[in-house]
Amino acid sequence: MATMSVASQSLSFFSSSIFFSSSTKAPKLSVALKCRGSRKPLALNPIRSQLSPPIPVLSFTGEKVGETFLDLKSAPPDTARAVVHRGIITDQQNSRKGTASTLTRSEVRGGGKKPYPQKKTGRARRGSQRSPLRPGGGVIFGPKPKDWSIKINRKEKKLALSTAISSAAVNTVVVDDFVAQFEKPKTKEFIAAMKRWGLDPRDKATFLFGGDDEVSENLLLSSRNIGTLKMLTPRSLNLFDVLNADKLVFTRSAVEYLNRMYGVNIEEEEEEESEGNVESEESGSSAAAE
């Protein structure tokens, strides 16, 4: 982030710049709110527009052909870590199926007959072979099917993703659309292109394309043998792959998509649209009443 000190050039879950303390405090916006029993104005941290430094755009051959930037919403430095942490925990916990199940001693089959008499055997008394103390018996306090999903607000989830991407601007590479360059599947050519862009095939890299139509079959076949790569589209973009990568690689169309969907203006457009829907519903109800 622009107002924060970046401690490392690698973008991993523990080395992203949003997980380090800020050297400078973000300016707080003092807004007077009417609260019962309090006359002091509350200090609110506004959501800022995080404009990244110019990012060079590289061609397929590795030459600089232009510049671009990321203009994304970003959480204040003192809350950015909490927002991103809540987003990643929500994604991981909601991916749990919760289908693990075990049988208790009342559910396991068998055990209806007393194995041996209560007395005169010299052994410990036992009433069933399906006791949790015996092999093949029930399980004590074992897992049962459970819903692990937790709720997160839609705007908070988008803010976590945009904050993580904007904090990784120093580790971002933007390239021209290169799908047409692969006329046939060739992993060797894809690795050579990565080296021309300054990427190490041994490092984790996440590629983001602007649409599903930009990922051709030849491109997927050329990159699938490289285990450190993730090929994402707007449909599959997620917070974990962004934080888990050492380098982010965007196409021009992907940068336009991020600025359009995760910029500051998108929230204003959504509020205007919601207000318009409310007005149209009110006018429709008044017309029906007449």
Side-chain angles (χ1 to χ4, degrees), residues 8-260:
S8 175
Q9 292 296 325
S10 63
L11 177 65
S12 61
F13 184 78
F14 296 103
S15 61
S16 181
S17 60
I18 61 174
F19 294 103
F20 290 90
S21 59
S22 174
S23 59
T24 58
K25 293 290 184 179
K28 292 186 177 181
L29 179 62
S30 179
V31 181
L33 299 180
K34 295 181 180 179
C35 298
R36 184 177 298 177
S38 177
R39 296 183 179 179
K40 295 181 179 181
L42 299 179
L44 300 179
N45 289 330
I47 296 176
R48 307 175 290 121
S49 172
Q50 183 65 40
L51 182 62
S52 68
I55 302 175
V57 180
L58 305 180
S59 63
F60 184 72
T61 58
E63 300 176 354
K64 181 180 178 180
V65 295
E67 290 183 347
T68 186
F69 60 90
L70 291 171
D71 187 13
L72 307 178
K73 291 185 294 185
S74 179
D78 54 346
T79 59
R81 178 172 182 169
V83 170
V84 176
H85 178 266
R86 176 171 167 79
I88 189 65
I89 292 300
T90 302
D91 288 347
Q92 290 184 323
Q93 190 160 334
N94 289 347
S95 64
R96 298 187 64 173
K97 294 183 178 180
T99 56
S101 181
T102 55
L103 299 179
T104 64
R105 65 177 299 166
S106 64
E107 297 170 336
V108 69
R109 183 178 178 184
K113 180 182 177 182
K114 190 175 179 66
Y116 47 80
Q118 179 85 350
K119 298 181 179 294
K120 299 181 180 180
T121 61
R123 304 174 65 183
R125 54 192 175 187
R126 191 173 303 280
S128 173
Q129 286 285 62
R130 293 300 175 254
S131 168
L133 306 180
R134 298 288 296 176
V139 179
I140 305 175
F141 303 127
K144 286 293 185 179
K146 178 180 178 180
D147 182 15
W148 290 94
S149 62
I150 55 178
K151 180 183 178 299
I152 186 173
N153 295 333
R154 177 176 55 86
K155 292 184 179 180
E156 186 179 4
K157 184 176 181 179
K158 293 183 64 175
L159 181 61
L161 183 57
S162 61
T163 301
I165 295 176
S166 62
S167 68
V170 294
N171 298 319
T172 300
V173 178
V174 179
V175 297
D176 267 334
D177 296 334
F178 55 91
V179 179
Q181 302 293 336
F182 292 90
E183 299 179 354
K184 60 180 180 179
K186 199 71 174 179
T187 305
K188 188 175 181 179
E189 295 181 0
F190 194 90
I191 294 178
M194 291 181 61
K195 292 181 178 180
R196 290 195 297 267
W197 297 330
L199 303 176
D200 189 352
R202 294 171 296 182
D203 295 338
K204 295 180 181 179
T206 297
F207 282 72
L208 177 62
F209 298 88
D212 296 337
D213 54 345
E214 294 186 8
V215 185
S216 63
E217 183 178 1
N218 291 335
L219 180 61
L220 291 177
L221 295 177
S222 300
S223 61
R224 70 176 180 179
N225 285 339
I226 307 175
T228 56
L229 294 189
K230 285 287 186 178
M231 311 294 283
L232 303 180
T233 60
R235 186 187 299 271
S236 59
L237 179 62
N238 62 90
L239 184 58
F240 179 80
D241 288 333
V242 172
L243 293 175
N244 194 42
D246 297 314
K247 289 287 186 178
L248 296 179
V249 184
F250 299 150
T251 60
R252 282 182 181 266
S253 57
V255 173
E256 295 175 359
Y257 166 80
L258 292 175
N259 290 334
R260 184 177 68 253

Side-chain angles (χ1 to χ4, degrees), residues 270-284:
E270 291 178 354
E271 291 179 355
E272 293 178 357
E273 183 179 355
S274 61
E275 291 177 359
N277 294 336
V278 171
E279 293 178 356
S280 60
E281 291 178 358
E282 291 178 354
S283 60

